DNA sequence: AAACGATGTTTCATATAATGAAACGATTTG
DNA sequence: CAAATCGTTTCATTATATGAAACATCGTTT
């Protein structure tokens, strides 16, 4: 198969398309389920799964379902991209989560989306829970709005050109001009709120993390249910989150 | 290619063998370097890398070297194996690392080796640093000796049958009988020490983590340079590590 | 400045491996 | 108990993967 002028390897593409199915919420898949989901022949699917199993990329459990295997865990941990951001954010996120008692996320803008690099979950049963390594919309999350607000004008206009502002709730900002105004305000006060823009009942507050050149390298957010949120807590939350951000910044002054 | 009675997909195997090269310490590889390392033709290697790049499995940096890419980070974070062990160990490891000021590891026995599931590194410059997702010998590390000590007799004898006890330092236990005696002692006192068995200058202390059926599900270890180690600190270290272990056990009572 | 060595990349003929329909056995469902 | 669904195997056919040769680029050496 050709991409641009390049021939690519179709079998390898098929194997990874099988793995892509695991990006959905379902963790275990049978042979024919995967074949149906991907449109591949069940014999081809079976053979690819056997190959991936022999490589520890997937493993088969007791009822003949395949799950992602330990070799991916090993390779996933070796990915150097954003590694120092992930490593140096860990302790600060835990501290923030413990003090505020809500889930804390740490993320960057990647491919016009928020990429979650790290998190510390709330110890409470009812909490926001996301998947590290996964992507989320930027325009309707506090973490994403912070990352956009501190982006260059070029970057923002590229974003608006390429991303459709769909509504998720009646609070979602879907008008470009309104979003630009919102981003200017966020830049000015140096924090963002998501008051049920992505999901009803979900509140989020986020601030930027800078390197020594005052460039935003990531964002920290705290997210929880609206039932636990009180407007008068915003200032004290900001104070706690900022402490965490300073701690991360201390390690990442030279981060580009 | 046949394995047992199964035909496997050679192209997919080649693609993953390329990725296996990244398990070494070198993080970025050129086309011909990888071809040489794997023994594959440089054209084949080039084509496989292009395919992997199109899938975000690898990415090319500015000087035409390939590094592991974000899709592996995403897939790696979705691996369900040992996920609750990884999630629930995080805070406790950070606390132990902060109090003892040395690197803390959390691991299990997998394929007759220690698999590092989590870690919290010492804040000091001179520290033990390992790679999460990587494997280490069990017979000459504290974490591994704990995991072996609390394994069944069958498991231990299978281990000794299949693993060659090579010496890494003059302190490495290479005699099966001596190792068995050592494991009995570890089981009795419920902790292990590695006094420069794996590497000169490296000291390690580890304890087991149990589920509610008193089965060992993981081990926690603290590792540091011998220059910072004092025998009189063992008891206070154990006390701190045990607190962390109890915290983890509280979440994992039902872990099988 | 030219030659050399090393790199990544492209082309195209050939051989190999990937593919998938048909069939099978086992298990689950109605 | 029959039907439906699953994972798995076989083997003929076809499509794709392969790799040698060649090219362009860049850095190094003379």
């Amino acid at each position: 198969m050709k991409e641009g002028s390049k021939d690519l390897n179709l079998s390898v593409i098929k194997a990874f398309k099988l793995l892509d199915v695991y990006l959905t919420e379902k963790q275990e898949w049978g042979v024919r389920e995967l074949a149906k989901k991907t449109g591949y022949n069940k014999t081809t699917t079976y053979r690819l799964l056997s190959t991936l199993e022999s490589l520890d990329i997937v493993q088969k459990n007791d009822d003949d379902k395949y799950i992602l295997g330990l070799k991916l865990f090993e390779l996933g941990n070796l990915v150097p991209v954003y590694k120092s951001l992930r490593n140096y954010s860990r302790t600060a996120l835990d501290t923030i989560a413990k003090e505020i008692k809500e889930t804390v996320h740490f993320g960057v803008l990647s491919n016009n989306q928020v990429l979650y690099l790290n998190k510390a979950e709330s110890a409470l049963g009812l909490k926001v829970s996301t998947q590290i390594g996964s992507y989320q919309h930027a325009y309707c999350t506090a973490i994403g709005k912070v990352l956009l607000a501190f982006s260059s004008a070029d970057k923002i206009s590229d974003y608006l050109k390429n991303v459709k502002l769909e509504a998720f709730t009646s609070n979602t900002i879907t008008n470009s001009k309104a979003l630009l105004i919102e981003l200017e305000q966020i830049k000015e006060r140096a924090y963002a709120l998501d008051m049920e823009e992505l999901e009803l009942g979900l509140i989020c507050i986020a601030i930027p993390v800078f390197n020594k050149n005052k460039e935003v390298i990531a964002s920290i957010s705290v997210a929880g249910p609206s039932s636990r949120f009180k407007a008068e807590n915003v200032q004290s939350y900001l104070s706690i989150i900022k402490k965490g951000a300073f701690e991360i910044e201390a390690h990442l002054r030279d981060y580009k």
Side-chain angles (χ1 to χ4, degrees), chain A:
Chain A
M1 175 223 207
K2 259 184 176 355
E3 181 183 87
S5 59
K6 292 175 178 175
D7 268 335
L8 301 180
N9 186 300
L10 282 170
S11 298
V12 172
I13 289 171
K14 279 177 171 166
F16 280 100
K17 288 313 175 200
L18 290 180
L19 297 180
D20 275 347
V21 171
Y22 291 87
L23 300 179
T24 64
E25 285 177 10
K26 192 173 161 66
Q27 292 189 331
E28 53 173 47
W29 296 78
V31 175
R32 293 197 194 216
E33 287 182 293
L34 269 175
K36 187 172 285 180
K37 182 77 173 177
T38 54
Y40 298 149
N41 180 277
K42 63 176 164 49
T43 306
T44 301
T45 302
Y46 177 77
R47 191 178 292 108
L48 289 169
L49 284 170
S50 295
T51 306
L52 293 172
E53 187 187 10
S54 77
L55 298 165
D56 283 328
I57 294 299
V58 298
Q59 59 191 67
K60 204 194 315 191
N61 62 21
D62 287 335
D63 50 351
D64 284 344
K65 298 291 190 283
Y66 291 86
I67 62 176
L68 294 179
L70 285 170
K71 179 57 80 70
L72 281 176
F73 176 61
E74 183 167 13
L75 288 168
N77 274 285
L78 286 167
V79 175
V81 196
Y82 301 122
K83 193 156 196 172
S84 52
L85 290 179
R86 292 187 262 132
N87 289 345
Y88 290 115
S89 56
R90 179 193 171 104
T91 310
L93 300 189
D94 283 341
T95 302
I96 297 169
K98 199 167 287 181
E99 291 194 52
I100 298 186
K101 296 186 185 6
E102 297 294 359
T103 296
V104 188
H105 294 103
F106 187 72
V108 295
L109 214 50
S110 181
N111 296 331
N112 280 337
Q113 295 180 81
V114 176
L115 167 62
Y116 289 121
L117 292 179
N118 215 340
K119 71 176 177 183
E121 288 196 340
S122 174
L124 298 168
L126 175 68
K127 66 190 150 192
V128 174
S129 187
T130 53
Q131 178 64 50
I132 292 175
S134 70
Y135 293 86
Q136 187 55 272
H137 299 292
Y139 66 96
C140 48
T141 53
I143 194 169
K145 289 190 291 182
V146 160
L147 293 166
L148 285 171
F150 287 89
S151 295
S152 65
D154 283 347
K155 181 76 178 137
I156 294 170
S157 90
D158 175 78
Y159 181 84
L160 289 173
K161 200 175 300 170
N162 290 294
V163 175
K164 191 184 175 208
L165 309 183
E166 298 176 64
F168 289 94
T169 73
S170 57
N171 305 304
T172 312
I173 301 169
T174 55
N175 175 265
S176 294
K177 276 180 171 279
L179 183 62
L180 285 170
I181 292 167
E182 168 86 350
L183 297 183
E184 274 172 41
Q185 288 170 343
I186 289 166
K187 192 165 184 181
E188 216 165 293
R189 66 179 184 240
Y191 73 90
L193 290 169
D194 163 7
M195 304 291 287
E196 301 182 87
E197 292 170 44
L198 177 69
E199 192 177 312
L200 286 178
L202 193 141
I203 305 291
C204 190
I205 177 170
I207 68 162
V209 177
F210 297 98
N211 65 11
K212 73 184 180 187
N213 298 332
K214 303 293 194 197
E215 292 156 334
V216 164
I217 53 178
S219 179
I220 303 176
S221 72
V222 172
S226 53
S227 55
R228 287 204 295 261
F229 179 75
K230 293 190 184 86
E232 61 260 35
N233 290 340
V234 169
Q235 289 308 318
S236 81
Y237 284 177
L238 282 171
S239 179
I240 297 166
I241 306 170
K242 273 170 180 164
K243 272 214 275 179
F246 291 155
E247 192 187 315
I248 296 169
E249 284 166 358
H251 285 105
L252 295 165
R253 290 183 54 73
D254 297 315
Y255 190 88
K256 284 194 323 218

